[in-house]
Amino acid sequence: MASASRCWGMRMLLLHVLVILPSILLSLKISPLIEKISDHKDFKKLLRTRNNVLVLYSKSAQAAERQLKLLSDVAQDVRGRATVSWIDCGDSESRKLCKKMKVDPSKKSNGVDLLHYKDGTFHTEYNRPNTYKSMAAFLKDPEGAPLWEENPEAKDIVHIDSEKDFQKLLKKEDRPLLVMFYAPWCSVCKKMMPAYQQAATELKGNYVLAGMNVYPPEFERLKEQYNVKGYPTILYFEKGKFMFNFEKYGATAKDIADWLKDPQAPAPESPEVAWSEQDSAVHHLTDADFDQFVQDHPSVLVMFYAPWCGHCKKMKPDYEKAAETLHAESGAGVLAAVDGTVHRALSERFHISGFPTVKYFENGEEKYTLPHLRSEQKIVEWMHNPEAPPPPEPSWEETPSSVLHLLGDDFRETLKKKKHALVMFYAPWCPHCKSSVPDFTTAADEFKEDRKIAYAAVDCTKEKNQDLCKQEGVEGFPTFNYYNYGKFIDKYNGERGESGFVGFIRSLREKDHGKLGKKKEEL
């Protein structure tokens, strides 16, 4: 009798283990970064304190198992930028929450529903591919465009995810291969993609066209190897060997196909003649003759420029025409130019921090800085009647705020003292930077009492910052980088508004508090 009772007890124990085993195994596979929610108040608090939340609703724990494995990796990748949460609508506690949110995952064929919440309210249903790469990209930029490989018309493009995959492709592919290195934000790349993917479809079987987003910092070595200076950079390979670049960036699908049938190396560019060596009415000055020239000419307008500066190149034709007009008139003054990258003593002496900078000299003395003179008409009119320009608006750096404005010399040492630092690399002339400044400044004020948090800014047009910006992977403006005690962690690709900047740091601080609370409980 006792033996039968023990046998019955063992059977019941085994049955109990078999019932709870799936949930035990399931819980072992879930990342601690996925927040399981069952109470409505907790869910409201989550949405109130996090501004970028992806919620997995499931009809049961078993239905969620496969999705949770994938989301565990995603949650790790977007840590600090977004939150992944799980609500099991099959659980008795969570059922009420699902009803209140009017979500019924049982109506879905796979028993799960993925919904995204932004700034405390429902934003959209996640309907992009159910892959790690697409989900991570979505959470890093919920408003951003889908990945190139998500476009059905790009199905014949070979999409490369890693340097390892790139090397594998080179080894195995015997057909002629064209590879586009691109950045997701690059407008020229976007314009070229339709023609590129059409060519991939038309040439399928005989040629291979591939695409690779090399903007992330882990591809720096690869970009250096293939001399990637801008986007897109398109490389042509034969049997794994690099031959030369394809440089027809406005090409149609037919242009690409015709070129691949008879690939030719780009014609060598004729060396650009320096501005100072070109014939014009502009006087080119040097460190040696500058002072004598402005003393000999009572009215001189000087443009400090850099040969690589796009705004200088744009202004140059108007400046030359204005110089010709004034040269034909007597006593109207002269126009001169100084290459600030060569004649650095003059640049330092006149505090040139960006290009072009236009200054007016009268009787050998500096009198005005004139940022508003850019067109031929304005230059000529002003030289006929030189007068003080309207007072300039204070620069961002000169405006009191909680933003730390850093120079290359003190960048790393300052950030080493900050647990969380969001750094905006910018150019004063950049319109996207200007639109982000007010929200970034407000976000900095939000955390001004916390000495471990910093919102910092680096003006990449300053000479002392140019090497720093290059070193930190800045290839466009604005670029936002996140640092932890001076160590670069990741690029910030979230919303460029106050809520995005504030929510990003707030989520990091809340994780810190959560870890601290857990340590106290353990103690």
Side-chain angles (χ1 to χ4, degrees):
M1 188 74 179
S3 176
S5 177
R6 279 197 303 273
C7 186
W8 172 253
M10 289 295 291
R11 284 178 182 174
M12 291 301 294
L13 178 62
L14 180 61
L15 181 62
H16 183 65
V17 168
L18 289 173
V19 169
I20 67 169
L21 187 58
S23 61
I24 292 172
L25 291 174
L26 182 63
S27 66
L28 290 174
K29 295 168 186 172
I30 300 172
S31 166
L33 294 174
I34 295 181
E35 301 192 21
K36 192 171 187 302
I37 303 287
S38 58
D39 181 73
H40 187 245
K41 287 183 179 178
D42 290 340
F43 188 56
K44 284 175 70 177
K45 182 182 177 183
L46 177 74
L47 297 185
R48 190 173 63 250
T49 56
R50 312 288 171 83
N51 69 326
N52 184 10
V53 183
L54 185 66
V55 181
L56 170 69
Y57 293 88
S58 66
K59 70 176 182 180
S60 65
Q62 285 70 31
E65 184 171 4
R66 185 176 177 183
Q67 194 76 59
L68 285 170
K69 290 178 185 176
L70 176 61
L71 287 172
S72 294
D73 293 332
V74 173
Q76 180 65 40
D77 190 10
V78 300
R79 186 176 186 176
R81 295 186 183 185
T83 300
V84 179
S85 183
W86 173 37
I87 300 174
D88 178 9
C89 297
D91 179 74
S92 56
E93 285 185 54
S94 307
R95 199 170 292 132
K96 292 179 182 178
L97 172 57
C98 295
K99 284 183 179 179
K100 281 191 175 183
M101 301 307 297
K102 297 180 181 178
V103 179
D104 185 1
S106 64
K107 292 181 179 179
K108 298 283 184 176
S109 58
N110 59 354
V112 297
D113 210 353
L114 274 169
L115 303 182
H116 183 257
Y117 297 82
K118 184 173 177 288
D119 299 329
T121 59
F122 172 72
H123 172 228
T124 186
E125 180 179 359
Y126 179 83
N127 53 17
R128 284 166 62 172
N130 195 33
T131 64
Y132 160 78
K133 191 176 178 184
S134 290
M135 285 181 166
F138 170 77
L139 284 174
K140 288 175 182 177
D141 186 8
E143 305 282 358
L147 300 174
W148 192 9
E149 53 262 51
E150 293 177 30
N151 184 347
E153 294 181 5
K155 65 183 186 305
D156 295 317
I157 300 287
V158 176
H159 298 282
I160 308 168
D161 292 332
S162 67
E163 188 172 346
K164 185 179 179 182
D165 291 343
F166 175 68
Q167 298 300 341
K168 278 184 181 178
L169 180 65
L170 293 183
K171 283 182 181 178
K172 76 172 187 178
E173 193 52 71
D174 289 329
R175 292 169 293 181
L177 170 66
L178 205 59
V179 181
M180 182 194 289
F181 284 168
Y182 68 93
W185 46 263
C186 161
S187 58
V188 178
C189 307
K190 290 174 185 176
K191 287 178 183 176
M192 191 171 180
M193 282 174 178
Y196 194 79
Q197 58 203 26
Q198 183 185 340
T201 299
E202 292 174 358
L203 299 170
K204 188 177 179 181
N206 297 317
Y207 302 89
V208 175
L209 275 72
M212 185 175 184
N213 171 17
V214 294
Y215 181 64
E218 61 262 30
F219 297 116
E220 288 303 318
R221 194 191 68 80
L222 190 66
K223 286 188 282 188
E224 187 176 337
Q225 180 182 350
Y226 289 103
N227 196 32
V228 178
K229 301 295 184 185
Y231 303 106
T233 294
I234 304 174
L235 310 175
Y236 175 67
F237 296 84
E238 287 183 358
K239 295 185 177 179
K241 181 183 177 183
F242 169 65
M243 303 301 291
F244 32 73
N245 286 30
F246 174 84
E247 294 187 350
K248 297 180 180 179
Y249 300 118
T252 64
K254 184 178 183 304
D255 292 334
I256 296 171
D258 290 345
W259 186 89
L260 280 170
K261 289 169 187 173
D262 183 24
Q264 301 287 331
E269 292 184 8
S270 54
E272 187 177 347
V273 179
W275 188 16
S276 59
E277 296 175 13
Q278 297 172 21
D279 291 331
S280 78
V282 175
H283 299 268
H284 289 272
L285 308 181
T286 67
D287 287 329
D289 63 15
F290 183 89
D291 289 332
Q292 189 63 50
F293 185 88
V294 295
Q295 285 173 11
D296 293 343
H297 298 79
S299 178
V300 186
L301 194 67
V302 182
M303 172 181 167
F304 291 84
Y305 72 96
W308 45 258
C309 161
H311 290 277
C312 304
K313 291 176 182 178
K314 188 176 179 181
M315 181 180 169
K316 178 187 162 189
D318 278 272
Y319 199 72
E320 288 184 329
K321 287 176 185 176
E324 290 171 9
T325 301
L326 294 169
H327 181 68
E329 303 173 5
S330 59
V334 296
L335 300 195
V338 172
D339 183 344
T341 65
V342 174
H343 306 290
R344 297 196 174 190
L346 287 172
S347 293
E348 290 177 10
R349 177 176 156 193
F350 295 111
H351 308 289
I352 307 300
S353 60
F355 302 109
T357 293
V358 179
K359 288 183 176 288
Y360 178 67
F361 293 80
E362 188 174 272
N363 298 319
E365 299 292 331
E366 178 190 355
K367 198 164 184 184
Y368 306 127
T369 299
L370 304 158
H372 65 293
L373 295 188
R374 290 290 184 269
S375 69
E376 175 193 0
Q377 182 182 352
K378 285 187 176 180
I379 292 170
V380 171
E381 286 176 355
W382 193 89
M383 288 295 285
H384 283 152
N385 183 28
E387 58 183 16
E393 293 182 10
S395 67
W396 187 18
E397 194 168 350
E398 293 167 340
T399 306
S401 77
S402 302
V403 175
L404 299 178
H405 291 274
L406 304 178
L407 287 171
D409 300 341
D410 60 8
F411 179 81
R412 199 70 58 189
E413 287 304 313
T414 301
L415 294 190
K416 279 181 182 178
K417 301 170 186 174
K418 307 296 179 182
K419 186 170 187 181
H420 303 299
L422 187 61
V423 181
M424 175 176 168
F425 295 88
Y426 73 100
W429 46 259
C430 158
H432 294 293
C433 304
K434 290 177 183 177
S435 63
S436 294
V437 164
D439 290 316
F440 195 80
T441 303
T442 305
D445 290 337
E446 179 85 12
F447 295 95
K448 63 183 177 182
E449 303 299 332
D450 193 328
R451 289 182 296 173
K452 288 294 182 183
I453 289 175
Y455 286 77
V458 175
D459 180 354
C460 291
T461 64
K462 291 187 174 181
E463 189 175 346
K464 286 186 176 180
N465 288 336
Q466 287 172 8
D467 288 342
L468 170 67
C469 293
K470 186 176 180 181
Q471 176 187 321
E472 298 304 308
V474 178
E475 296 180 343
F477 301 118
T479 290
F480 297 91
N481 286 356
Y482 165 60
Y483 297 83
N484 176 256
Y485 288 120
K487 181 183 178 183
F488 170 76
I489 302 298
D490 207 350
K491 290 193 179 293
Y492 170 82
N493 292 313
E495 182 192 353
R496 293 180 180 181
E498 180 186 345
S499 60
F501 296 138
V502 170
F504 175 70
I505 295 296
R506 188 175 286 158
S507 64
L508 294 171
R509 193 166 68 167
E510 284 170 359
K511 282 185 173 64
D512 294 340
H513 292 164
K515 289 176 183 176
L516 182 61
K518 188 175 180 181
K519 284 182 180 178
K520 286 181 178 178
E521 287 177 12
E522 290 171 353
L523 289 171

